[in-house]
Amino acid sequence: MAYKLRRSRIYVPGNNPRMLSTCGLFEADVITIDLEDSIAPDQKLAARWLVAEALKELDFGRSEVTVRINALSTPWGKKDLEAIIPTGKVEAVYLPKAESPEDVKQLDSILEKLERENGIEVGRTKIVPILESAKGVWFAYDIAVSSDRVVALSFGGEDYTRDVGGERTPEGTELMWARSQVVAGAKAAGKQALDTVYSNVDDLEGLYRNTIMVKRMGFDGKAAIHPNQIPVIHEAFNPTQDEIEYALRVIEAIEEAKAKGSGVVALGRKMIDKPVVERAERVLTIAYLAGMIKEEEIPESIRESIVKEGE
């Protein structure tokens, strides 16, 4: 599966015409139009209609266009899908309150039916389950492998904390196990892991520290609730210049060893094994997709594969 940049994902309330019309300018990797938590029950119908029209008419720039629907256990979830999927603009559906493989399989079945009915390539619409309860987090791996449409797992820290009876703190120690479980489940399944929001929109320094922490844990991206958070998240998830230079040296060492016919690869005194190579390739992929390095700067041995990821 091709790597897709999902460093930042901004929630856009589906009943806010101004934000819907301008969110393509935010330069987030992912736009998630929200039909769930930000929409009151008496506004669900109007928001759904507005979102369907926005999907048909608006240009969202280079951002991946996604929608968070209402849970399929509610009266609104299936109707959300029936309104948004026929537009052909939805690249992924974020499924809230995902707690079992059956939840994802139910969504998969509905998507397949709607794709066939509307002449959309079957399987085109991806799924990102949102794990925001103790049960959902516990079954992270099972949910991640429940459908080929699943491209990532998203963690919902606010609801998870409430579900377990915890208290959300700036340090986030109460979320460490859950975050680790989500990352492990996603990566064991070969999928991305996306972190929860940082709710204090005025604390950009805290956001940066928090994002660096979850990046080190293995997360590929983080949700945002304000446009000002997006550049900070990008800065944290982008590789540093030192990381890029080290990755280039790793690939060059591999190429030199192959040219010499040597089966042993070392960089300085450190042996280079498969995980080190894979990390180097991922760093260079992110750097290229983020516009930090040019095509000609990528070592020839991996250039073609990385460039294809950006197409």
Side-chain angles (χ1 to χ4, degrees), residues 4-71:
K4 192 172 184 65
L5 276 185
R6 295 188 176 98
R7 300 164 300 176
S8 64
R9 173 171 60 90
I10 188 163
Y11 280 111
V12 178
N15 61 349
N16 189 321
R18 183 183 62 83
M19 283 196 70
L20 284 171
S21 63
T22 60
C23 62
L25 303 175
F26 297 162
E27 297 187 344
D29 292 333
V30 183
I31 291 169
T32 299
I33 302 173
D34 187 30
L35 290 172
E36 195 215 11
D37 279 352
S38 64
I39 311 298
D42 62 351
Q43 297 179 24
K44 297 285 188 186
L45 180 60
R48 184 188 302 136
W49 177 85
L50 179 62
V51 169
E53 292 303 307
L55 288 168
K56 293 175 189 175
E57 302 296 334
L58 295 180
D59 179 4
F60 296 97
R62 300 181 62 181
S63 301
E64 182 180 18
V65 180
T66 72
V67 177
R68 177 168 70 172
I69 63 169
N70 289 279

Side-chain angles (χ1 to χ4, degrees), residues 53-207:
E53 292 303 307
L55 288 168
K56 293 175 189 175
E57 302 296 334
L58 295 180
D59 179 4
F60 296 97
R62 300 181 62 181
S63 301
E64 182 180 18
V65 180
T66 72
V67 177
R68 177 168 70 172
I69 63 169
N70 289 279
L72 294 176
S73 58
T74 70
W76 308 295
K78 188 170 184 292
K79 293 184 182 298
D80 290 341
L81 294 169
E82 291 171 346
I84 64 173
I85 298 303
T87 67
K89 295 289 187 67
V90 180
E91 297 177 70
V93 171
Y94 277 72
L95 178 64
K97 314 296 189 293
E99 294 190 323
S100 71
E102 287 68 32
D103 293 339
V104 177
K105 291 175 182 177
Q106 181 185 8
L107 175 56
D108 190 324
S109 178
I110 296 171
L111 289 174
E112 180 174 349
K113 180 176 182 293
L114 291 171
E115 286 170 340
R116 292 187 185 279
E117 291 176 351
N118 292 279
I120 300 169
E121 178 186 356
V122 172
R124 176 187 180 276
T125 314
K126 306 307 179 185
I127 296 174
V128 180
I130 307 176
L131 311 185
E132 44 193 334
S133 67
K135 184 177 180 181
V137 171
W138 186 264
F139 289 108
Y141 174 76
D142 303 87
I143 291 170
V145 298
S146 60
S147 168
D148 290 340
R149 293 180 188 265
V150 175
V151 293
L153 296 181
S154 179
F155 177 49
E158 300 289 343
D159 284 349
Y160 171 83
T161 305
R162 285 193 290 268
D163 187 55
V164 301
E167 180 181 349
R168 191 78 190 268
T169 66
E171 297 79 19
T173 52
E174 71 284 355
L175 300 179
M176 290 300 289
W177 175 83
R179 279 175 162 144
S180 297
Q181 175 82 349
V182 171
V183 168
K187 297 310 173 76
K191 311 297 172 71
Q192 290 183 333
L194 309 176
D195 190 44
T196 188
V197 300
Y198 188 84
S199 55
N200 187 346
V201 297
D202 296 320
D203 184 11
L204 296 182
E205 290 184 5
L207 169 64

Side-chain angles (χ1 to χ4, degrees), residues 3 5 215 220 237-251 275-293 298-299 302 306:
Y3 187 87
L5 276 185
K215 174 188 176 182
D220 300 278
F237 274 108
N238 284 343
T240 65
Q241 194 58 41
D242 286 345
E243 288 173 328
I244 294 171
E245 290 174 1
Y246 180 75
L248 289 170
R249 291 201 301 272
V250 167
I251 302 304
V276 174
V277 176
E278 290 177 346
R279 175 172 172 75
E281 292 178 350
R282 183 52 46 86
V283 165
L284 295 177
T285 298
I286 295 172
Y288 174 69
L289 295 177
M292 300 178 71
I293 58 174
I298 305 170
I302 60 172
I306 288 181

